[in-house]
Short mmCIF file of all heavy atoms in Angstrom, two decimals:
data_model
loop_
_atom_site.label_atom_id
_atom_site.label_comp_id
_atom_site.label_asym_id
_atom_site.label_seq_id
_atom_site.Cartn_x
_atom_site.Cartn_y
_atom_site.Cartn_z
N ALA A 200 -28.00 29.56 -14.39
CA ALA A 200 -29.10 29.63 -15.36
C ALA A 200 -29.92 30.90 -15.14
O ALA A 200 -30.27 31.61 -16.10
CB ALA A 200 -29.98 28.40 -15.23
N LYS A 201 -30.20 31.20 -13.88
CA LYS A 201 -30.99 32.39 -13.55
C LYS A 201 -30.22 33.66 -13.90
O LYS A 201 -30.78 34.59 -14.52
CB LYS A 201 -31.35 32.38 -12.07
CG LYS A 201 -32.18 33.58 -11.62
CD LYS A 201 -32.53 33.50 -10.14
CE LYS A 201 -33.33 34.70 -9.69
NZ LYS A 201 -33.64 34.64 -8.24
N THR A 202 -28.96 33.71 -13.52
CA THR A 202 -28.16 34.92 -13.75
C THR A 202 -27.90 35.16 -15.23
O THR A 202 -27.96 36.30 -15.72
CB THR A 202 -26.80 34.82 -13.02
OG1 THR A 202 -27.04 34.64 -11.62
CG2 THR A 202 -25.96 36.08 -13.22
N LEU A 203 -27.65 34.09 -15.98
CA LEU A 203 -27.32 34.22 -17.41
C LEU A 203 -28.56 34.22 -18.30
O LEU A 203 -28.47 34.50 -19.50
CB LEU A 203 -26.38 33.08 -17.83
CG LEU A 203 -25.00 33.07 -17.15
CD1 LEU A 203 -24.25 31.80 -17.52
CD2 LEU A 203 -24.20 34.31 -17.52
N GLY A 204 -29.71 33.86 -17.73
CA GLY A 204 -30.94 33.84 -18.51
C GLY A 204 -31.01 32.72 -19.53
O GLY A 204 -31.56 32.88 -20.63
N ILE A 205 -30.44 31.57 -19.15
CA ILE A 205 -30.46 30.40 -20.04
C ILE A 205 -30.96 29.20 -19.25
O ILE A 205 -31.14 29.27 -18.03
CB ILE A 205 -29.06 30.11 -20.63
CG1 ILE A 205 -28.04 29.85 -19.50
CG2 ILE A 205 -28.60 31.27 -21.51
CD1 ILE A 205 -26.64 29.51 -20.00
N SER A 206 -31.19 28.09 -19.93
CA SER A 206 -31.67 26.89 -19.24
C SER A 206 -30.54 26.21 -18.47
O SER A 206 -29.35 26.45 -18.74
CB SER A 206 -32.25 25.90 -20.26
OG SER A 206 -31.21 25.36 -21.07
N GLU A 207 -30.93 25.36 -17.54
CA GLU A 207 -29.93 24.60 -16.79
C GLU A 207 -29.15 23.67 -17.72
O GLU A 207 -27.94 23.47 -17.55
CB GLU A 207 -30.59 23.81 -15.66
CG GLU A 207 -31.18 24.71 -14.58
CD GLU A 207 -31.74 23.92 -13.40
OE1 GLU A 207 -31.40 22.73 -13.27
OE2 GLU A 207 -32.51 24.52 -12.62
N GLU A 208 -29.84 23.10 -18.71
CA GLU A 208 -29.16 22.25 -19.68
C GLU A 208 -28.11 23.03 -20.46
O GLU A 208 -27.02 22.51 -20.75
CB GLU A 208 -30.17 21.63 -20.66
CG GLU A 208 -31.13 20.63 -20.03
CD GLU A 208 -32.25 21.29 -19.22
OE1 GLU A 208 -32.40 22.55 -19.30
OE2 GLU A 208 -32.96 20.55 -18.52
N ALA A 209 -28.42 24.27 -20.77
CA ALA A 209 -27.46 25.10 -21.50
C ALA A 209 -26.26 25.47 -20.63
O ALA A 209 -25.14 25.59 -21.13
CB ALA A 209 -28.15 26.37 -22.02
N VAL A 210 -26.49 25.65 -19.33
CA VAL A 210 -25.36 25.91 -18.43
C VAL A 210 -24.38 24.76 -18.47
O VAL A 210 -23.15 24.95 -18.58
CB VAL A 210 -25.86 26.14 -16.98
CG1 VAL A 210 -24.67 26.16 -16.00
CG2 VAL A 210 -26.63 27.44 -16.87
N VAL A 211 -24.90 23.53 -18.38
CA VAL A 211 -24.03 22.36 -18.40
C VAL A 211 -23.35 22.23 -19.76
O VAL A 211 -22.12 22.07 -19.85
CB VAL A 211 -24.84 21.08 -18.09
CG1 VAL A 211 -23.97 19.84 -18.30
CG2 VAL A 211 -25.37 21.13 -16.66
N ARG A 212 -24.13 22.32 -20.83
CA ARG A 212 -23.60 22.06 -22.18
C ARG A 212 -22.71 23.20 -22.68
O ARG A 212 -21.61 22.95 -23.22
CB ARG A 212 -24.76 21.87 -23.14
CG ARG A 212 -24.33 21.54 -24.57
CD ARG A 212 -25.54 21.51 -25.51
NE ARG A 212 -26.19 22.81 -25.64
CZ ARG A 212 -27.42 23.08 -25.20
NH1 ARG A 212 -28.15 22.15 -24.61
NH2 ARG A 212 -27.94 24.29 -25.35
N ASP A 213 -23.15 24.45 -22.49
CA ASP A 213 -22.51 25.58 -23.16
C ASP A 213 -21.59 26.40 -22.25
O ASP A 213 -20.82 27.23 -22.75
CB ASP A 213 -23.56 26.52 -23.75
CG ASP A 213 -24.44 25.82 -24.78
OD1 ASP A 213 -23.95 24.87 -25.42
OD2 ASP A 213 -25.62 26.20 -24.91
N VAL A 214 -21.68 26.18 -20.94
CA VAL A 214 -20.81 26.92 -20.01
C VAL A 214 -19.81 25.98 -19.36
O VAL A 214 -18.60 26.14 -19.49
CB VAL A 214 -21.64 27.65 -18.93
CG1 VAL A 214 -20.72 28.36 -17.94
CG2 VAL A 214 -22.59 28.66 -19.58
N MET A 215 -20.32 24.94 -18.70
CA MET A 215 -19.44 24.09 -17.92
C MET A 215 -18.59 23.14 -18.76
O MET A 215 -17.41 22.94 -18.51
CB MET A 215 -20.24 23.30 -16.88
CG MET A 215 -20.86 24.17 -15.80
SD MET A 215 -21.74 23.19 -14.56
CE MET A 215 -22.05 24.44 -13.30
N LEU A 216 -19.22 22.52 -19.75
CA LEU A 216 -18.54 21.45 -20.48
C LEU A 216 -18.21 21.80 -21.93
O LEU A 216 -17.70 20.96 -22.67
CB LEU A 216 -19.39 20.17 -20.44
CG LEU A 216 -19.74 19.65 -19.04
CD1 LEU A 216 -20.57 18.38 -19.14
CD2 LEU A 216 -18.47 19.40 -18.21
N ARG A 217 -18.45 23.03 -22.33
CA ARG A 217 -18.27 23.42 -23.73
C ARG A 217 -16.84 23.19 -24.22
O ARG A 217 -16.63 22.73 -25.35
CB ARG A 217 -18.63 24.89 -23.91
CG ARG A 217 -18.54 25.37 -25.36
CD ARG A 217 -18.85 26.85 -25.46
NE ARG A 217 -17.91 27.65 -24.68
CZ ARG A 217 -18.04 28.96 -24.47
NH1 ARG A 217 -19.09 29.60 -24.98
NH2 ARG A 217 -17.16 29.62 -23.75
N GLU A 218 -15.85 23.47 -23.39
CA GLU A 218 -14.46 23.40 -23.84
C GLU A 218 -13.82 22.04 -23.58
O GLU A 218 -12.64 21.85 -23.88
CB GLU A 218 -13.63 24.50 -23.16
CG GLU A 218 -14.10 25.91 -23.46
CD GLU A 218 -14.03 26.25 -24.94
OE1 GLU A 218 -13.15 25.70 -25.64
OE2 GLU A 218 -14.86 27.06 -25.41
N THR A 219 -14.57 21.08 -23.05
CA THR A 219 -13.99 19.75 -22.86
C THR A 219 -13.91 19.02 -24.19
O THR A 219 -14.60 19.38 -25.15
CB THR A 219 -14.83 18.90 -21.87
OG1 THR A 219 -16.12 18.68 -22.43
CG2 THR A 219 -14.97 19.60 -20.52
N VAL A 220 -13.11 17.97 -24.24
CA VAL A 220 -12.96 17.22 -25.50
C VAL A 220 -14.10 16.24 -25.73
O VAL A 220 -14.30 15.78 -26.86
CB VAL A 220 -11.61 16.47 -25.54
CG1 VAL A 220 -10.45 17.45 -25.49
CG2 VAL A 220 -11.50 15.44 -24.41
N ASP A 221 -14.85 15.93 -24.68
CA ASP A 221 -15.87 14.88 -24.81
C ASP A 221 -17.20 15.21 -24.12
O ASP A 221 -18.08 14.36 -24.04
CB ASP A 221 -15.34 13.55 -24.26
CG ASP A 221 -14.82 13.68 -22.84
OD1 ASP A 221 -15.03 14.73 -22.20
OD2 ASP A 221 -14.18 12.72 -22.36
N GLY A 222 -17.34 16.45 -23.62
CA GLY A 222 -18.59 16.82 -22.97
C GLY A 222 -18.87 16.08 -21.68
O GLY A 222 -20.04 15.90 -21.30
N GLN A 223 -17.82 15.67 -20.98
CA GLN A 223 -17.98 14.88 -19.76
C GLN A 223 -17.48 15.64 -18.53
O GLN A 223 -16.51 16.39 -18.60
CB GLN A 223 -17.18 13.57 -19.88
CG GLN A 223 -17.63 12.67 -21.01
CD GLN A 223 -19.05 12.16 -20.80
OE1 GLN A 223 -19.40 11.69 -19.72
NE2 GLN A 223 -19.86 12.24 -21.85
N PHE A 224 -18.18 15.41 -17.42
CA PHE A 224 -17.70 15.92 -16.14
C PHE A 224 -16.49 15.11 -15.69
O PHE A 224 -16.42 13.89 -15.91
CB PHE A 224 -18.79 15.82 -15.06
CG PHE A 224 -19.84 16.89 -15.13
CD1 PHE A 224 -21.08 16.63 -15.70
CD2 PHE A 224 -19.59 18.15 -14.62
CE1 PHE A 224 -22.06 17.61 -15.75
CE2 PHE A 224 -20.56 19.15 -14.67
CZ PHE A 224 -21.79 18.87 -15.24
N THR A 225 -15.54 15.77 -15.05
CA THR A 225 -14.49 15.07 -14.32
C THR A 225 -15.13 14.42 -13.11
O THR A 225 -16.11 14.94 -12.56
CB THR A 225 -13.39 16.07 -13.90
OG1 THR A 225 -12.92 16.75 -15.06
CG2 THR A 225 -12.23 15.37 -13.23
N THR A 226 -14.62 13.29 -12.65
CA THR A 226 -15.23 12.60 -11.51
C THR A 226 -14.41 12.80 -10.25
O THR A 226 -13.21 13.13 -10.29
CB THR A 226 -15.37 11.09 -11.78
OG1 THR A 226 -14.05 10.50 -11.81
CG2 THR A 226 -16.08 10.83 -13.09
#
Side-chain angles (χ1 to χ4, degrees):
K201 180 179 179 182
T202 301
L203 297 173
I205 59 178
S206 69
E207 293 185 17
E208 293 77 9
V210 170
V211 172
R212 182 186 65 246
D213 300 331
V214 177
M215 293 183 169
L216 302 181
R217 183 182 60 188
E218 299 299 330
T219 64
V220 297
D221 54 10
Q223 298 295 312
F224 282 101
T225 305
T226 69

